Amino acid sequence: MSIWIIFKLIGSLALLMYGMKAMSDSLQKMAGPQLRHVLGAMTTNRFTGLFTGMFVTAAVQSSTATTLMMVSFVNAGLFTLIQAIAVIMGAHIGTTVTAWIMSLGFSFNITPFVYFAFFFGIILIYMKKYRIIGDFLFGVAFFFLGLGTLEMTGQEVMASDTAGSIRAFFDTFSGGEIWNVLLLLVVGTVLTLGVQSSSAIIAITMALCSTGLMSVEQGVVLVLGVNIGTTITTNIVAIKANTQARRAAFAHLAINCIGVIWMIFLLKPFFNMICQLVGFDPGMSPADSAFPMKATFVLAAFHSAFNIANTLLLIWFIPQIEMLVSKIIKPKKQDDEEDFRLHFITSGIMKTPELSVLEAQKEIRSFSERIQRMFGMVQTLLTEKNEQEFGKLFTRIEKYEDISDNMELEIAKYLDHVGDAHLSDDTKGKIRAMLREISELESIGDSCYNIARTINRKFTGKEDHFNEKQYERIHQMFTLTDSALTQMNVLMGGRKEAFDVNRSFNIEDEINNYRNQLKKQNIIDVNNHEYTYAEGTIYMDIVNECEKLGDYVVNVVEARMGLRQKES
C-alpha cells in the first residue's frame, strides 16, 4: 500500500470526523436553549425519557453530546439518575441514524452534489443571519465528501498488492470461535477509544466490508466493540464530576456491556435474521454490484436492531441498573467546605455554549451561597469573646476570602473559554452578565473580609468592647445586609421573571439611610464622650463596609436581571 493511499485514508477520515462535528455543533446551536427545555420536559416516566433521548440524539447527530448533556445535568442536580438512564437508552437508539446515513453514502455516489452544498454554505456563512445554516451545510458537505473519498480509497486498496494481505489478516479472525469474537470486540473498543469517534470506526468498517476486505459478520462484531468504546469517553470526562454524574456515565457503559454480553451468545442467529431482513446473502461475491449497498445496510440494520433490542430488554430494569451503578460507584469523601473546588463546572463535560452557560450559572449560585455563609461567620465573629475560638473563626474567614478569589478566576476562565465559540447575541449577553456577577460577588467577599479585619483589629487591640448601643446598631446593620444577601440568593436560585427586584432596591435604600443616620449619631456620641474617637472610627468602618457590601449585592441583582448599573 503506497504512502499516497494511506494519506488519502487518513485525510478522508479527518473530513468525515470534521463534517460530523460541524453538523452536530451547528444543529445544537440551531436548537439553542430549546435543547435544555426539550430534555427538561421529560418526566420520571422512563418511556418519555427514552423517546426524548432518541429524538434529541437523532436531531443533533451525536449520542456523545446527548449523554454528556445528561451527565452534566445530573452533575448540576437538575435531573435524577433514573431520568438520565432513560434518556441515555434513547440516545443509544438515536445514534444509529448516523450509520444509516453513512450506508446511503456508500451505496450512492453523492460526492458531486457536495459542491452545491459548499457553494450555498459559503453564501449563507457570509450572510450573518444564516451563518449557522451555512456551517451545517459545510458539515454535511465535508461528511459526504469524506465518505466518498473513503469509499474510493477502499477501492484503490482492493486494487493494490496489499489487498490479499489485508484479507488474510482478517481471515485469521474468522471461524466464529469465541476468542476471535472477543478479540474483534477489543479491537473495535480500542479503535473507538483511540479515534474518539464511533462514526469514524463504523465508516472504516463499512468501507472494509463493502470492498470485501473484511467479512460482514466480522464487521458486526466490530460494531459491537464500537458500542462499548464510545461509552468510555463519557466515563473519562465524568471522572472529576460528582458521584451521581459518574454513576450516570457508568450506567452508559453498563447498558452497552450488558447488551454485548447477551448478544455474543445470540450473535449467529441474530446476524442471520438481519441478513434475511435486508436480503443479503453472506456468500455473495464482493464483485456483485449490489454487494456494497447490501453489506453496509446489514451493518446499519444490525447497529439499529442491537440497540433497539437491548433498550427494549433493559428499560424494564432501570431501577435495578440504578442500584447496580450506585453499588459500584461509591461516593467520594466529602470535600472540606473550606477546600476550594468547583462543584458544577467540570472540564470537558459541556461542549455547547448554551449548556456551558447553564453550568456556570449553577456554579455562580454556589459561589453566592458560599459568600452568604462567609457573612454569617463575620456576624458570629463580632460577638465571639473566647480568644482561641475567635482566632479559629478569623482564620476560616481568611480562607473563604481566598476561595472567593479563586472561584472568580476559575469561573471567569471557564466563561472566557466558552466565549471563544460562535455565540448568539443572547448567549453573549448572559456571559457578560455572569462576568459582572462574579466580579461583584468577589467584592462582597472582600467586604466581608474587611469587616472581619476591622473586628480583629478591635479584638487584638485589647481596647474596650463596643457599648450596648453600638452592638445593637451594628447588629441591625448586619440584619439588613444579610436580608440583602438572602434576596440575592433567592434570585440566583430561581427564575428572574418571578423575582421582585424592588425588594432588593428597598433594602439597599434602608441600608443607605441607616448608614447616614448612624454617621450623624456617631458624631453626636463622640462629642458626648460615650466612646472615644478611635472607637467611633472602628465602629463606622464596619457600618460603611456594610453599606458598600449592600451596593455590591444590588450590582449582582442588576446583572442577573439584565439591568444597567446605576450611576454612582
Side-chain angles (χ1 to χ4, degrees), residues 221-245:
V221 178
L222 270 181
V223 168
L224 286 178
V226 167
N227 277 271
I228 297 176
T230 193
T231 66
I232 297 175
T233 303
T234 310
N235 281 268
I236 293 172
V237 169
I239 287 174
K240 295 181 180 178
N242 63 28
T243 303
Q244 287 296 87

Side-chain angles (χ1 to χ4, degrees), residues 99 102 106 197-207 223 226 299 303:
M102 285 192 288
F106 277 106
S197 172
S198 59
S199 299
I201 302 305
I202 290 177
I204 292 174
T205 306
M206 285 184 171
V223 168
V226 167
L299 293 175
H303 191 34

Side-chain angles (χ1 to χ4, degrees), residues 24-33 35 132 135 352-353 421-423:
S24 179
D25 287 351
S26 56
L27 284 168
Q28 291 176 60
K29 286 174 186 175
M30 280 190 271
L35 266 182
I132 296 177
D135 288 338
T352 58
H422 296 304
L423 306 174

